[in-house]
Amino acid sequence: MNKLFTSLILLTMTLLSGCFSTSSLIPEKKDSSFYLVDTKEGRLCKGNTGYCVRLSLVASQNGQLDSFEKAYQQKITGPNYPRSLMIILLKPADNSYRATSLDTNGRLYSLPKNDKTNTAWKALSDLYRTEYQ
């Protein structure tokens, strides 16, 4: 009984000191209702979930992004293929959606989920799987 009481006191002290909280037991909800373009890191992410693919994958794409180019009706061109892809994502030629800046320094942009952005995510994810799995 004395050990149980001591354990309860230690647990209570830990909770009150802020070292541990019951909120850490509840998984944090991550928003995946949009895509995130990080222009500094050159990544496309699924919302703020941490699931990201590097745009540099397109440098070795070997025609594997045909579905992307068809959806956007634009070609990814060199010499800087990742930058070309980023520009297409941020400002599609047909103005079918708008990228929304999420900060003041132009690093993070939100893209709506739609047929085009879903196609981009799938094409890049498929390319990643082809390259690394």
Side-chain angles (χ1 to χ4, degrees), residues 83-122:
R83 181 167 169 72
S84 174
L85 171 61
M86 188 183 310
I87 290 169
I88 294 170
L89 286 169
L90 293 175
K91 191 169 171 91
D94 66 358
N95 293 316
S96 56
Y97 66 82
R98 294 184 73 163
T100 305
S101 179
L102 298 177
D103 60 7
T104 57
N105 60 4
R107 176 180 177 174
L108 301 174
Y109 289 87
S110 169
L111 305 179
K113 277 195 168 181
N114 58 38
D115 289 342
K116 286 185 180 181
T117 56
N118 289 338
T119 298
W121 175 260
K122 183 176 179 342

Side-chain angles (χ1 to χ4, degrees), residues 22-41:
T22 56
S23 67
S24 67
L25 300 176
I26 301 168
E28 183 182 335
K29 294 204 179 211
K30 307 247 178 161
D31 187 359
S32 63
S33 65
F34 65 98
Y35 292 106
L36 177 77
V37 175
D38 183 333
T39 60
K40 182 177 179 187
E41 296 293 324

Side-chain angles (χ1 to χ4, degrees), residues 4-110:
L4 178 62
F5 183 71
T6 303
S7 295
L8 279 172
I9 295 229
L10 285 172
L11 179 62
T12 303
M13 288 173 49
T14 303
L15 286 171
L16 291 175
S17 71
C19 294
F20 177 81
S21 73
T22 56
S23 67
S24 67
L25 300 176
I26 301 168
E28 183 182 335
K29 294 204 179 211
K30 307 247 178 161
D31 187 359
S32 63
S33 65
F34 65 98
Y35 292 106
L36 177 77
V37 175
D38 183 333
T39 60
K40 182 177 179 187
E41 296 293 324
R43 300 183 306 173
L44 177 66
C45 302
K46 202 171 219 181
N48 65 1
T49 63
Y51 296 116
C52 302
V53 285
R54 293 201 171 274
L55 300 179
S56 60
L57 284 171
V58 300
S60 62
Q61 55 120 349
N62 297 326
Q64 294 178 15
L65 291 177
D66 291 339
S67 61
F68 172 86
E69 292 177 334
K70 184 177 178 181
Y72 281 84
Q73 298 178 349
Q74 290 177 266
K75 288 277 190 198
I76 300 168
T77 59
N80 192 335
Y81 293 97
R83 181 167 169 72
S84 174
L85 171 61
M86 188 183 310
I87 290 169
I88 294 170
L89 286 169
L90 293 175
K91 191 169 171 91
D94 66 358
N95 293 316
S96 56
Y97 66 82
R98 294 184 73 163
T100 305
S101 179
L102 298 177
D103 60 7
T104 57
N105 60 4
R107 176 180 177 174
L108 301 174
Y109 289 87
S110 169

